[in-house]
């Protein structure tokens, strides 16, 4: 075999309980190449990378590194061979500091003695080299989801890697943070590191990759050069059909004011926030990571206490101190961190979908009408195209994208009047994104008021009727449809209030 490749995976197959996850997959990466791996959830991307890193064992096929055949029988062996992987779901110890997480396998000298000053100093240096300002002494569970991802990236880069695998690394990063990551990847590329980049964000795939390999149903459907193909070409390889429009048009009349927030304050995180949402309107909250978007959503929903301010629904002031009260009033929140807050992994899909609307399936004696419950959940599974064997499957067994759909189905089933969507398509593939966008449009057509938070500016621009730009916990300004652009949002987010 030629030694021009850093990684060669030939005819790799893998099955789980008779289900073929990979079928004769051949995939290669050159030294100093950013090779993008794309495909819908369940296409086999993560399985292929877990085999490369040693987390899974292949059933058949050959793996070569720098032309030499290797047997990667566990993750430790993968690390020995210079393979680093950053999973979409974090692998951090939440109650340890940032520094302890970064050097968790390399702490102390041979005698087991810790030099804490040196440990923190090295960690601070690494974090700053990536372009972020996070104290290495901070406990990880005190960090935002975005900054926890930064710790994951720093942890991987702290080791001498030949191959760096990144699975949706920018899913929770705002554009400015993503640009910093890309700068680091380009530096690593110049140093000869091979980078395998998994992402559903095709704009960044085209921006940073040298080659793109698409997968569908456990098979490679093609490898292309980004400068020779269009976005539609890549989408066709991924889903087997053309996707004419990523953001479907919404044909609905925006009605009267439905929901209003006045002078909302929550410690230092939410500062005098006021805005309104009309019936059938999708209002976007845009801003940099840490701008306060999520804190505004959580304060409205009663998940975080607010010091002062008022919330109105249909002109009536609401007293919301807990999420239970918010749900009772008809307000739902799809949180940014689905595993911790959006779903209960150890329960079946059926329980997750109906837990927010038990009255719909409860009889006079307080007993659950199981037949109706299953029928309602099955209808939502089909509507949201959730890939599952039954309503009784545990949510933990689903892919990340399908878990997100279950979290969404819970609020669709609850017949909410206002739904707050915090990163609704995080970790969701292109095909599923369109399905969620169509569902958002359908809810808006019913007169539901929607507040949408997203770090993907094109998503905010493509889906919203108005955009509120958030910075330092306050509303910096408002943009109407004719004013939408990535530049105008970023200028407002960084530069202050509209007109400044």
């Amino acid at each position: 075999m030629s030694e021009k490749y850093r990684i060669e995976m030939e005819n790799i197959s893998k099955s789980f309980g008779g289900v073929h996850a990979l079928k004769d997959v051949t995939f290669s990466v050159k030294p100093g190449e950013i090779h993008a791996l794309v495909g819908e959830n369940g296409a086999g991307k993560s399985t292929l990378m877990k085999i490369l890193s040693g987390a899974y064992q292949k059933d058949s096929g050959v793996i070569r590194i720098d032309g030499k055949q290797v047997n990667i029988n566990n993750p430790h062996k993968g690390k020995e061979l210079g393979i680093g992987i950053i999973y979409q779901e974090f692998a951090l110890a939440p109650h340890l500091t940032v520094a302890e997480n970064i050097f968790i396998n390399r702490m102390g000298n041979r005698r087991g003695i810790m030099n804490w000053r040196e440990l923190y100093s090295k960690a601070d240096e690494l974090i700053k080299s990536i372009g972020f300002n996070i104290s290495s002494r901070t406990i990880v569970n005190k960090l935002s989801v975005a900054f926890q991802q930064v710790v994951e990236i720093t942890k991987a880069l702290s080791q001498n890697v030949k191959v760096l695998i990144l699975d949706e690394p920018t899913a929770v990063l705002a554009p400015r943070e993503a640009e910093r990551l890309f700068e680091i990847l380009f530096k690593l590329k110049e140093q000869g590191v091979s980078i395998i980049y998994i992402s559903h964000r095709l704009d960044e795939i085209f921006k940073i990759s040298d080659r793109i390999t698409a997968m569908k149903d456990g098979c490679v459907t093609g490898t292309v050069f980004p400068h020779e193909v269009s976005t539609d070409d890549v989408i066709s390889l991924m889903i087997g059909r053309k996707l004419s429009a990523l953001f479907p048009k919404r044909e609905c009349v925006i009605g009267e004011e439905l929901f209003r927030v006045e002078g909302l304050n929550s410690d230092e995180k939410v500062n005098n926030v006021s805005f309104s949402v009309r019936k059938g309107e999708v209002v976007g909250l845009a801003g940099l990571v840490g701008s306060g978007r999520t804190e505004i959503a959580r304060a409205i929903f009663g998940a975080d206490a607010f010091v002062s301010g008022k919330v109105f629904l249909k002109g009536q002031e609401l007293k919301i101190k807990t999420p239970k009260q918010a749900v009772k009033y008809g307000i739902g929140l799809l949180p940014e961190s689905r595993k911790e807050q959006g779903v209960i992994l150890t329960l079946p899909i059926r329980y997750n979908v109906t837990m927010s609307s038990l009255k719909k399936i409860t009889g006079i004696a307080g007993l659950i009408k199981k037949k109706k419950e299953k029928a309602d959940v099955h209808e939502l599974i089909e509507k949201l195209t959730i890939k599952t064997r039954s309503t009784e499957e545990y949510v933990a067994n689903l892919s990340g994208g399908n878990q997100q759909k279950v979290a969404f189905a819970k609020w669709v089933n609850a017949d909410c009047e206002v739904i707050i969507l915090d990163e609704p398509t995080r970790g969701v593939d292109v095909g599923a994104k369109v399905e969620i966008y169509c569902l958002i449009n359908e809810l808006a057509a019913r007169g539901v008021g929607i507040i949408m938070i997203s770090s993907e500016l094109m998503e905010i621009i493509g889906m919203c009727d108005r955009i509120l730009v958030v910075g330092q916990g306050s509303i910096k300004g408002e943009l109407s449809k004719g004013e939408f652009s990535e530049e105008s949002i970023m200028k407002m987010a960084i530069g202050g209030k509209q007109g400044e």
Side-chain angles (χ1 to χ4, degrees):
M1 278 289 172
S2 169
E3 293 188 11
K4 67 176 181 177
Y5 292 109
R6 170 65 45 78
I7 294 292
E8 293 170 288
M9 304 181 78
E10 291 184 359
N11 305 117
I12 304 295
S13 293
K14 178 69 177 176
S15 295
F16 296 98
V19 178
H20 293 286
L22 297 174
K23 307 167 193 173
D24 291 321
V25 170
T26 295
F27 175 74
S28 62
V29 188
K30 299 174 182 177
E33 177 185 36
I34 299 178
H35 196 137
L37 191 57
V38 300
E40 293 186 275
N41 289 321
K45 310 181 301 294
S46 295
T47 300
L48 185 66
M49 292 301 99
K50 284 179 179 179
I51 287 172
L52 179 58
S53 67
Y56 287 167
Q57 302 305 301
K58 56 184 169 54
D59 294 337
S60 60
V62 175
I63 301 175
R64 293 183 178 86
I65 297 180
D66 294 327
K68 182 180 178 181
Q69 187 170 330
V70 295
N71 182 26
I72 310 173
N73 50 20
N74 57 58
H76 181 70
K77 181 66 175 178
K79 288 179 181 177
E80 277 186 356
L81 293 168
I83 298 168
I85 183 166
I86 302 171
Y87 291 110
Q88 183 181 338
E89 304 301 339
F90 305 144
L92 298 171
H95 300 295
L96 296 183
T97 64
V98 169
E100 287 169 322
N101 270 277
I102 291 171
F103 297 108
I104 196 161
N105 296 321
R106 293 161 287 161
M107 294 177 65
N109 58 25
R110 291 180 180 179
R111 296 179 181 177
I113 298 171
M114 285 298 308
N115 185 331
W116 290 103
R117 183 179 294 178
E118 184 181 356
L119 183 80
Y120 290 126
S121 177
K122 283 183 178 179
D124 284 330
E125 190 177 326
L126 272 169
I127 295 165
K128 285 179 182 177
S129 74
I130 295 176
F132 288 86
N133 186 23
I134 304 169
S135 171
S136 64
R137 297 172 185 267
T138 305
I139 303 298
V140 161
N141 66 6
K142 301 295 183 183
L143 296 174
S144 68
V145 174
F147 287 147
Q148 287 183 33
Q149 180 68 288
V150 172
V151 176
E152 280 278 32
I153 292 166
T154 309
K155 181 180 173 182
L157 297 182
S158 69
Q159 303 175 57
N160 294 320
V161 293
K162 288 184 177 180
V163 181
L164 181 63
I165 305 163
L166 301 104
D167 191 352
E168 294 286 348
T170 62
V172 293
L173 301 183
R176 189 165 66 175
E177 281 76 20
E179 287 296 331
R180 290 179 187 172
L181 171 62
F182 299 155
E183 288 174 10
I184 296 300
L185 297 185
F186 290 140
K187 287 179 185 176
L188 291 171
K189 175 183 171 179
E190 288 175 4
Q191 294 166 15
V193 176
S194 300
I195 297 164
I196 302 170
Y197 194 93
I198 300 173
S199 178
H200 295 308
R201 296 183 175 182
L202 293 184
D203 55 339
E204 65 186 32
I205 289 292
F206 274 83
K207 183 176 183 178
I208 70 169
S209 64
D210 299 299
R211 284 191 296 162
I212 304 170
T213 290
M215 294 184 68
K216 178 177 170 59
D217 298 329
C219 300
V220 169
T221 54
T223 297
V224 296
F225 294 98
H227 62 275
E228 294 180 351
V229 295
S230 66
T231 302
D232 267 2
D233 293 330
V234 174
I235 290 171
S236 294
L237 289 172
M238 291 165 57
I239 65 177
R241 57 183 169 83
K242 289 284 184 183
L243 196 64
S244 55
L246 184 58
F247 302 106
K249 289 184 179 179
R250 183 169 63 255
E251 303 292 344
C252 67
V253 178
I254 296 174
E256 62 189 13
E257 182 181 282
L258 173 68
F259 182 75
R260 187 168 81 254
V261 175
E262 287 185 359
L264 194 67
N265 288 280
S266 174
D267 297 326
E268 296 178 358
K269 296 177 181 179
V270 181
N271 301 310
N272 196 30
V273 168
S274 300
F275 67 93
S276 65
V277 183
R278 293 181 289 172
K279 286 185 177 181
E281 186 179 29
V282 181
V283 176
L285 294 186
L288 304 176
V289 170
S291 62
R293 300 167 304 171
T294 294
E295 287 76 12
I296 291 170
R298 288 177 59 84
I300 292 170
F301 190 63
D304 293 338
F306 58 87
V307 177
S308 61
K310 296 179 180 180
V311 175
F312 297 86
L313 181 66
K314 295 179 179 177
Q316 299 294 314
E317 185 177 351
L318 309 181
K319 299 297 183 183
I320 300 175
K321 293 185 178 180
T322 66
K324 184 178 179 179
Q325 290 174 323
V327 174
K328 185 179 178 181
Y329 287 125
I331 300 171
L333 168 64
L334 183 75
E336 66 170 332
S337 183
R338 62 172 171 265
K339 282 186 179 290
E340 288 77 24
Q341 302 164 358
V343 293
I344 300 177
L345 297 172
T346 54
L347 290 180
I349 295 170
R350 174 166 58 92
Y351 289 7
N352 273 275
V353 171
T354 58
M355 66 173 61
S356 60
S357 50
L358 289 174
K359 285 185 179 180
K360 292 176 67 176
I361 54 169
T362 304
I364 297 172
L367 298 174
I368 291 175
K369 302 174 183 176
K370 289 189 176 180
K371 191 174 181 180
K372 175 173 172 52
E373 181 185 32
K374 285 189 177 182
D376 289 354
V377 175
H378 185 71
E379 183 181 338
L380 281 165
I381 286 172
E382 289 191 338
K383 189 181 189 70
L384 276 72
T385 60
I386 299 171
K387 293 180 182 177
T388 178
R389 289 171 291 184
S390 76
T391 61
E392 305 310 300
E393 185 160 8
Y394 289 103
V395 175
N397 296 334
L398 303 178
S399 68
N402 284 303
Q403 288 177 1
Q404 184 76 331
K405 289 183 184 180
V406 170
F408 206 113
K410 175 174 64 178
W411 297 118
V412 175
N413 193 52
D415 298 325
C416 294
E417 296 199 64
V418 177
I419 297 182
I420 307 167
L421 306 173
D422 195 349
E423 304 289 359
T425 65
R426 179 191 166 203
V428 173
D429 61 61
V430 175
K433 277 186 178 183
V434 177
E435 292 163 359
I436 289 176
Y437 296 152
C438 288
L439 184 59
I440 291 171
N441 287 350
E442 186 180 318
L443 290 169
R446 288 189 211 163
V448 176
I450 296 168
I451 301 167
M452 184 173 178
I453 300 169
S454 177
S455 297
E456 293 191 48
L457 293 185
M458 287 311 299
E459 183 170 81
I460 286 282
I461 290 168
M463 287 301 298
C464 297
D465 300 299
R466 281 188 297 134
I467 297 174
L468 306 175
V469 181
V470 181
Q472 297 178 319
S474 63
I475 306 294
K476 295 286 188 178
E478 179 180 319
L479 297 168
S480 58
K481 256 199 181 307
E483 301 171 311
F484 290 179
S485 72
E486 291 188 53
E487 184 182 10
S488 60
I489 293 170
M490 289 306 296
K491 277 185 176 179
M492 198 175 288
I494 297 168
K497 293 186 177 180
Q498 196 170 14
E500 284 187 357

